Amino acid sequence: MNDFTEIERDDFKNLLLEIGKTRIPFGKFGIKFYPPAGVPIMDLPPEYLTWFYQNGFPKGRLGELLAQVWEIKSVGMDSVFDPLRKANGGRYPLLPPRKKSF
């Protein structure tokens, strides 16, 4: 078993803080449907993150952060985001699914 060094703990803490500040700027959880800034990536549904995992994460830092969030959630560690959610007033409320009309 490997123990985290203080540097690794600080890096993980900084990663979590960056994840806590990052919001998805596009798509059905982006600015258009959740103004003014979109949904925080830590509160995205697992199914949405899994779609990116299967089809490719966006390029750049956003993609890297989304991949980290997917990894954390896929191993059942979503609770690691709870202190960030508490500091920001709780889990971001997602809109109920839209009813389809035919």
Side-chain angles (χ1 to χ4, degrees):
M1 181 173 147
N2 293 335
D3 289 328
F4 285 110
T5 64
E6 287 304 316
I7 294 171
E8 290 169 334
R9 288 180 185 168
D10 286 343
D11 288 345
F12 188 65
K13 178 182 175 186
N14 291 334
L15 175 66
L16 288 178
L17 290 173
E18 187 176 2
I19 287 171
K21 294 176 186 173
T22 305
R23 294 173 175 261
I24 192 84
F26 57 81
K28 68 182 192 177
F29 295 104
I31 296 167
K32 182 177 179 182
F33 296 105
Y34 291 91
V39 174
I41 62 174
M42 66 184 171
D43 288 335
L44 291 171
E47 299 83 8
Y48 193 71
L49 294 166
T50 299
W51 184 91
F52 280 114
Y53 174 75
Q54 294 170 344
N55 295 289
F57 290 100
K59 303 252 186 256
R61 187 64 177 155
L62 177 62
E64 293 171 3
L65 293 174
L66 285 170
Q68 292 293 322
V69 172
W70 178 84
E71 184 69 32
I72 290 168
K73 287 186 175 213
S74 71
V75 296
M77 294 299 298
D78 185 61
S79 62
V80 77
F81 300 123
D82 288 346
L84 296 168
R85 290 183 180 119
K86 185 175 181 182
N88 293 324
R91 186 179 290 267
Y92 194 88
L94 298 178
L95 298 174
R98 288 180 270 162
K99 294 181 180 177
K100 296 179 182 178
S101 61
F102 297 95

